[in-house]
């Protein structure tokens, strides 16, 4: 980096570091003069603690004259000079990264130092500052205090991104903190290492070997050696990242950094965190400590800095805890009685004496007792800023909880308004401590408003804190007012660049929402309409992506007023946002809050399974699949609860269009999500059976259907039973069933003139058709009839095809015959049906997308192959020169048409799963053939080279290398070739086509290779294939019922959409459709399958009923979760901890009562003689003398 001047910061920095600047100074004692040389102790030390040789050589006679000074003061007796010690510090032999250090005057402004630490030293801005004081010198640190520092303090600093301020020396508490940071660094990841920042603030005159740090040009680095001896206790600790060496001019004295450290803590507390959302909280932590800690604590409390005191750690900490615990509240009446002293209110005399007594007990040898007492009284007056950590009641693991409670308690001292607690609330969100937020901030004492929770809600959403989102929603935050489209865009801008959704959006962060709409359309496909189109004023069309790009860009050039609009479906939008990020707990909560639970869970399942296909990380892919399965289970459980409550309403739920989810239905979403477990539910299968049989009874025998198909008048007899829904009474339970029945029975092609699904009015107002027409339509328009007709006619087609191919396939010019022309026409009708299916896939897709969707079905690929081969064979058979080739193509094509019959068996419960097994086994065969091809090629080439020295015939070489080794697997071993037979060795004859003789030179090697080849292929690879088949079979067989039910839906869907006539008569239906679509312009209603449109009040009733069922199932699940052994153990553990804390408090109260009883007993022992009139008792004379003292009059 180039040299630059930081004017505001007041320092110059270069590639090597800080240069000597006049704004960073150091203090040197200028107290030494001839007139006061007698004040040196033993003639060698100044009052500052330094020797004669350490003082600057300037005359101070003019400054002090002949005055004799008995107390040294840094402000009066030192002068400031540019600093001469700064740069980087290398601890020799420590193997640590270099630490930054700076020598500065105690009067240095705090803002300059903070800018150096954050801007130049590149230390991340803290989310919290913990200043640890006390425990200096060679004081022994208790073991439990070490545990608190190691398990509590450093862990809390790591989780919150805190700075830890200590003395930074290898002594006392500073050394313990350094060791805790070192141990954490060794065990933690590289990411968390950046979060634990330990800063040492030490007096310059106390640092050992400080002369090695002096270099006016800066040290990069300064080499510093630390020895593990007690004499080097004041050395700098190598486990700190930075050192601020405060110089007040003294040498070997403690406390010179006190004022500067207090100012630095106060300045940091006024700054904001890196995100700028809250002010940086600062907390001082007192461990043990001597008498001077009372002054240090008093200064900090007066600046509003909260403190945490470790009870039982040492003198100063124990004194503070005893003052808070034992003393009564400060008296409000002033001791002064004169009018002029009316404003000077001080604690009552009794309190003053009690404080004096306790201070004297802890620090008996201190001369300035009154100053200590005044400091203690001042500390007691600010007791609201002090929190006590009791090791007997809290464990080190609860340290972060105690920290947050201390900060919250300090904020409550300021105001009771909710706005005063927003910083603490944001801090609780940052630490993810919802338990503290509930107990301290949302306990009913504070009335939270919507405005107070907005920022914290955004933090909780972005940082994945679902418990806080739930807490805010329960305590005044209205999601309808909160989630605008602008905030939704901000949420999508916060996507991590490591997730798949961000990569799909290709990092565009300007206006993410328009891309989200396209992303969701790509993921969901045509199962639902695009999201967020309305407020972008987009219209769905063929060129949707182009229209979006053009229209959105034009729209965004305006004022973008849509950003201030409230999101139409806030919970659903947040649910999609959470699912795209694979946030399990938050997605489940949003699913609970959003309506239409079954459809929402299936939509999440669809999104997650599509994203898992694009995810490259194995662990993330697995978590996506697990979350998708979890949502499928939730959809299954909620629908099961609905089905148990009301079967007809549950069936309505499956086919009801949802405006929230782009007019999709549950069945459509479940199909797109491949939700096989959901399809296996009895309620779904009951609906499918009802659709499959139409108006006929589901108990109708197949032979009756065949007989009625062959003899149509039988449908008007009692051979087939029909369900008569027209005689159902008008009740709420039957209303939905009739509507469903109408949608399943009278939506076949040819009846589009009537518009169904518009409510009960459409059903009741539709004209009744004659009985003959009704019964005819009820039979022929049922999917089962259409399926049966297609099966029977397909068998006729295969019989005709076989007859022509075997008996009547005449070559030109005698052919084709009449039957063959009928076969051609039959295949033409099949082609027409395939064209109709392609046209019905989606009218809003491009040709490439339509073709892609069509070819996703394996049986469509089979149809294309069969038709293509038939067309090729048809062309070739009409020419003499290609007749035989055309016949061969026709023969192969017949195999393809015959294999198409397998699809028909999908409706059968036993044969349906076997089709899936065969399909999966074919994939296993391909893996097997790969391994087999390697061995065939290896053995075939070696065998050919060893047996035949020269053979120029390529076809024969190919047969011997690949074909014969393959036949070896089945036992065809050519012994005669290995032993030699009728052949020739003449090269000329061999080139003319004669059989070459085999070489017998390496006959033994050929046999050995054959043995190895057969061993590997026949035993190893074949058994491997059998094992793969067994695994596939057992895997599918376990879920055969689930596979069959899902496959059954696809078959029902296909034949529900087909015309009732089977090929070749289907051409009549095609002509009828052509006239309706292109001449009469009647739109098709067959594109949307199984759709029921419900709006307004009926939709609201159905959604409310579904929500009630969801709450019931969630209640049952929560109860089941609470009854688990793990949850019981957790509750028991909490209760035991509570009991232990109460027992500790009881023991403490018992100790106090015993002390009080002892004092009362002593007092009674002294008072009894006086009461009995004993004048010889010493107290008698004392009381008598007190009674003779005149009492001053009031005022």
């Amino acid at each position: 980096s180039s040299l630059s001047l930081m004017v505001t910061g007041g320092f110059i920095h270069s590639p090597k570091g800080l240069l000597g600047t006049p704004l960073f100074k150091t203090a040197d004692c200028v107290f030494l003069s001839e007139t006061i040389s007698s004040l040196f102790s033993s003639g060698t030390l100044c009052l500052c603690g330094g020797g004669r040789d350490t003082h600057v050589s300037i005359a101070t006679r003019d400054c002090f004259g002949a005055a004799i000074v008995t107390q040294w003061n840094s402000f009066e007796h030192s002068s400031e000079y540019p600093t001469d010690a700064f740069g980087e510090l290398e601890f020799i032999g420590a193997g640590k990264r270099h630490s930054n250090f700076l020598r500065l005057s105690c009067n240095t402004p705090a803002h300059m130092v903070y800018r150096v630490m954050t801007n130049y030293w590149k230390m991340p801005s803290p989310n919290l500052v913990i200043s640890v004081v006390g425990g200096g010198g060679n004081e022994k640190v208790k073991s439990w205090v070490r545990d608190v520092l190691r398990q509590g303090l450093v862990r809390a600093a790591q989780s919150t991104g805190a700075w830890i301020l200590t003395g930074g020396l290898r002594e006392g508490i500073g050394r313990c903190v350094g060791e805790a940071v070192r141990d954490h660094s060794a065990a933690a990841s590289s990411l968390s290492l950046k979060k634990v920042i330990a800063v040492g603030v030490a007096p310059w005159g106390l640092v050992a070997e400080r002369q090695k740090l002096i270099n006016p040009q800066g040290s990069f680095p300064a080499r510093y050696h630390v020895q593990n001896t007690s004499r080097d206790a004041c050395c700098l600790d190598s486990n700190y990242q930075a050192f601020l060496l405060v110089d007040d001019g003294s040498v070997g004295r403690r406390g010179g950094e006190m004022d500067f450290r207090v100012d630095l803590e106060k300045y940091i507390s006024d700054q904001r965190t890196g995100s700028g959302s809250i002010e940086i909280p600062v907390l001082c932590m007192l461990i043990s400590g001597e008498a001077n800690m009372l002054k240090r604590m008093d200064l900090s409390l007066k600046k509003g800095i909260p403190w945490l005191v470790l009870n039982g750690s040492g003198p100063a900490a124990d004194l503070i805890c005893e003052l808070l615990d034992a003393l009564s509240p400060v008296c409000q009446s002033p001791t002064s009685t004169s009018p002029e002293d009316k404003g000077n209110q001080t604690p009552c005399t009794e309190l003053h004496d009690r404080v004096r007594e306790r201070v004297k007990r802890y620090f008996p040898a201190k001369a300035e007792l009154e100053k200590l007492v005044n400091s203690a009284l001042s500390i007691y007056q600010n007791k609201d800023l002090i929190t006590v950590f009791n090791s007997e009641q809290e464990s080190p693991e609860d340290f972060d909880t105690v920290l947050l409670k201390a900060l919250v308690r300090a904020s409550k001292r300021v105001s009771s308004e909710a706005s005063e607690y927003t910083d603490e609330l944001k801090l609780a969100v940052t630490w993810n401590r919802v338990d503290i937020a509930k107990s301290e901030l949302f306990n009913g004492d504070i009335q939270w408003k919507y405005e107070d929770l907005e920022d914290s809600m955004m933090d909780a959403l972005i940082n994945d804190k679902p418990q806080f989102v739930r807490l805010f929603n329960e305590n005044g935050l209205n999601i309808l007012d909160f989630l605008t489209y602008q905030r939704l865009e901000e949420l999508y801008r916060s996507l991590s660049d490591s997730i798949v959704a961000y990569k799909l959006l290709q990092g565009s962060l300007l206006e993410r929402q328009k891309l989200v709409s396209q992303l969701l359309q790509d993921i969901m496909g045509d199962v639902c309409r695009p999201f967020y189109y309305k407020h972008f004023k987009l219209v769905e069309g063929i060129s949707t992506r182009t229209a979006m790009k053009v229209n959105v860009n034009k729209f965004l050039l305006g004022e973008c007023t849509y950003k201030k609009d409230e999101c139409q479906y806030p919970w659903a939008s947040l649910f999609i946002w959470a699912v795209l990020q694979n946030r399990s707990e938050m997605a489940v909560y949003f699913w609970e809050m959003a309506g239409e639970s079954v459809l929402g869970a299936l939509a999440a399942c669809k999104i997650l399974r599509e994203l898992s296909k694009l995810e490259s990380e194995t662990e993330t892919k697995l978590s996506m699949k697990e979350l998708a399965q979890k949502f499928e289970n939730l959809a299954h459980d909620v629908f099961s609860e609905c089905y148990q409550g009301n079967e007809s309403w549950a069936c309505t739920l499956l086919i009801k269009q949802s405006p929230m989810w782009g007019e999709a239905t549950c069945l459509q979403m479940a199909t797109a999500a491949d939700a096989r477990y959901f399809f296996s539910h009895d309620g779904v299968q009951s609906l499918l059976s009802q659709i499959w049989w139409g108006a006929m009874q589901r108990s109708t025998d197949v032979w009756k259907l065949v007989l009625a198909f062959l003899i149509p008048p039988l449908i008007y007899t009692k051979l087939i039973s029909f369900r008569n829904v027209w005689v159902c009474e008008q009740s709420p339970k039957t209303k939905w069933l009739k509507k469903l029945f109408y949608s399943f029975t009278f939506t076949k092609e040819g009846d589009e003139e009537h518009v169904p699904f518009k409510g009960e009015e459409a059903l009741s107002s539709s004209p009744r058709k004659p009985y003959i027409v009704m019964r005819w339509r009820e039979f022929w328009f049922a999917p089962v009839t259409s399926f049966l007709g297609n099966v029977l006619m397909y068998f006729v087609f295969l019989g005709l095809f076989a007859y022509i191919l075997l008996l009547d396939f005449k070559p030109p010019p005698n052919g084709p015959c009449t039957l063959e022309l009928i076969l051609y026409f039959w295949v033409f009708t099949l082609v027409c049906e395939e064209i109709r299916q392609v046209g019905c896939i989606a009218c809003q897709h491009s040709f490439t997308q339509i073709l892609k969707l069509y070819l996703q079905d394996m049986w469509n690929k089979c149809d294309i192959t069969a038709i293509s081969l038939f067309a090729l064979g048809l062309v070739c058979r009409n020419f003499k020169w290609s007749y035989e080739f055309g016949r061969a193509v026709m023969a192969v094509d017949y195999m393809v048409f015959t294999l198409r019959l397998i699809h028909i068996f999908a409706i059968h419960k036993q044969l349906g799963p076997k089709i899936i097994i065969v399909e999966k086994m074919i994939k296993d065969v391909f893996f097997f053939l790969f391994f087999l091809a390697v061995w065939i090629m290896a053995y075939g080439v070696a065998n050919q080279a060893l047996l035949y020295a020269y053979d120029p015939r390529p076809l024969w070489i190919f047969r011997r290398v690949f074909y014969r080794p393959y036949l070896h697997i089945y036992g065809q071993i050519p012994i005669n070739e290995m032993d030699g037979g009728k052949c020739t060795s003449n090269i000329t004859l061999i080139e003319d086509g004669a059989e070459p003789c085999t070489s017998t030179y390496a006959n033994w090697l050929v046999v050995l290779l054959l043995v190895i080849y057969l061993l590997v292929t026949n035993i190893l690879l074949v058994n491997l294939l059998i094992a793969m088949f067994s695994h596939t079979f057992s895997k599918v067989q376990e879920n055969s019922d689930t596979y069959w039910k899902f496959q059954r839906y696809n078959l029902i869907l296909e034949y529900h959409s087909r015309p009732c006539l089977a090929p070749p008569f289907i051409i009549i239906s095609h002509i009828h459709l052509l006239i309706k679509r292109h001449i009469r312009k009647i739109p098709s209603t067959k594109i949307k399958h199984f759709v029921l449109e419900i709006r307004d009040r009926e939709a609201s009733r159905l959604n409310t009923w579904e929500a009630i069922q969801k709450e019931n199932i969630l209640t049952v699940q929560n109860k089941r979760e609470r009854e688990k052994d793990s949850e019981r153990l957790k509750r028991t553990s909490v209760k035991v901890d509570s009991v232990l804390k109460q027992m500790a408090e009881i023991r403490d109260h018992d100790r106090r009562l015993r002390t009080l009883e002892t004092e009362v007993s002593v007092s009674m022992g002294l008072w009894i003689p006086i009461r009995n009139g004993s004048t010889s008792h010493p107290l008698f004379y004392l009381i008598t003398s007190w009674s003779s003292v005149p009492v001053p009059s009031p005022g």
Side-chain angles (χ1 to χ4, degrees), residues 598-599 602 653-656 664-671 678:
V598 177
L599 183 55
L602 293 173
L653 200 64
L654 292 176
I655 61 173
K656 179 184 71 71
T665 66
C666 291
L667 285 182
Q668 293 172 349
M669 194 67 73
T671 306
F678 179 79

Side-chain angles (χ1 to χ4, degrees), residues 128-132 153 156-157 162-165 283-285 399 403:
L128 171 69
V129 174
I130 305 175
S131 181
V132 183
L153 176 64
W163 286 5
I164 303 177
L165 301 183
L283 178 69
C284 293
M285 181 177 174
F399 189 78
L403 287 181

Side-chain angles (χ1 to χ4, degrees), residues 283-447:
L283 178 69
C284 293
M285 181 177 174
L286 177 60
I287 303 176
S288 186
E290 296 299 329
N292 59 344
M293 285 297 105
L294 298 180
K295 178 183 178 182
R296 165 74 171 85
M297 190 174 182
D298 185 27
L299 290 175
S300 184
L301 288 173
K302 289 179 179 178
K303 294 181 180 291
I305 304 298
W307 278 72
L308 177 65
V309 181
L310 267 63
N311 189 14
S313 59
D318 295 346
L319 171 62
I320 300 300
C321 294
E322 186 172 343
L323 290 177
L324 298 177
D325 187 39
L327 299 183
S328 60
V330 179
C331 300
Q332 298 298 323
S333 59
T335 55
S336 58
T337 57
S338 59
E340 58 271 15
D341 296 336
K342 186 176 180 180
N344 300 329
Q345 295 184 358
T346 60
C348 62
T349 306
E350 179 184 0
L351 179 62
H352 188 279
D353 294 340
R354 296 172 66 181
V355 171
R356 177 195 294 272
E357 177 185 353
R358 284 167 172 78
V359 171
K360 190 174 182 180
R361 185 168 70 248
Y362 280 96
F363 305 108
K366 296 299 179 180
E368 299 178 348
L369 183 60
E370 285 301 323
K371 291 185 177 181
L372 296 179
V373 172
N374 293 334
S375 297
L377 287 171
S378 179
I379 291 172
Y380 182 76
Q381 288 178 324
N382 294 287
K383 60 181 180 299
D384 294 336
L385 293 174
I386 304 174
T387 303
V388 177
F389 179 87
N390 197 327
S391 61
E392 296 181 356
Q393 299 179 9
E394 289 98 0
S395 62
E397 290 77 10
D398 300 330
F399 189 78
D400 52 353
T401 304
V402 177
L403 287 181
L404 186 55
K405 286 185 177 181
L407 296 173
V408 173
R409 182 179 180 184
S411 65
K412 288 184 177 180
R413 179 176 180 266
V414 179
S415 173
S416 59
E417 295 293 331
S419 58
E420 300 295 336
Y421 299 93
T422 54
D423 288 353
E424 283 66 32
L425 178 59
K426 292 177 182 178
L427 187 63
V429 174
T430 303
W431 292 3
N432 197 21
R433 294 308 303 266
V434 69
D435 53 339
I436 301 176
K438 287 181 179 180
S439 61
E440 299 293 332
L441 300 175
F442 292 92
N443 55 4
D445 297 338
I446 306 172
Q447 298 298 324

Side-chain angles (χ1 to χ4, degrees), residues 4 230 249 291 344 484 663 711 834 880 925 959 1028 1051 1134 1195:
S4 61
S230 58
N344 300 329
T484 60
E663 305 298 334
I711 309 175
E834 294 300 320
K880 290 184 178 180
V925 169
R959 289 184 62 183
M1028 293 169 65
L1051 189 67
V1134 172

Side-chain angles (χ1 to χ4, degrees), residues 60 191 210 379 737:
T60 59
L191 180 62
R210 56 186 175 276
I379 291 172
L737 185 60

Side-chain angles (χ1 to χ4, degrees), residues 182-232:
R182 177 199 63 196
D183 296 340
H184 170 79
S185 301
S189 61
S190 58
L191 180 62
S192 60
L193 290 180
K194 301 177 182 179
K195 296 183 179 181
V196 181
I197 305 296
V199 180
V201 183
W204 167 262
L206 195 63
V207 178
E209 300 186 9
R210 56 186 175 276
Q211 299 300 325
K212 296 181 180 180
L213 308 180
I214 297 177
N215 184 354
Q217 302 301 321
S219 302
F220 300 94
R223 300 175 62 83
Y224 191 82
H225 183 69
V226 179
Q227 298 180 357
N228 293 324
T229 59
S230 58
R231 187 177 59 182
D232 296 323

Side-chain angles (χ1 to χ4, degrees), residues 113-119 121-132 153 156-158 160-166 177 194-199 241-242 244 264 268 280-283:
V113 179
Y114 185 74
R115 291 176 67 87
V116 169
M117 298 172 71
T118 55
N119 296 342
W121 290 348
K122 303 301 180 183
M123 295 172 58
S125 298
N127 295 323
L128 171 69
V129 174
I130 305 175
S131 181
V132 183
L153 176 64
Q158 184 271 327
T160 58
W163 286 5
I164 303 177
L165 301 183
T166 69
V177 172
K194 301 177 182 179
K195 296 183 179 181
V196 181
I197 305 296
V199 180
Q241 283 80 1
L244 300 175
L264 180 63
I268 295 178
I280 301 175
V282 177
L283 178 69

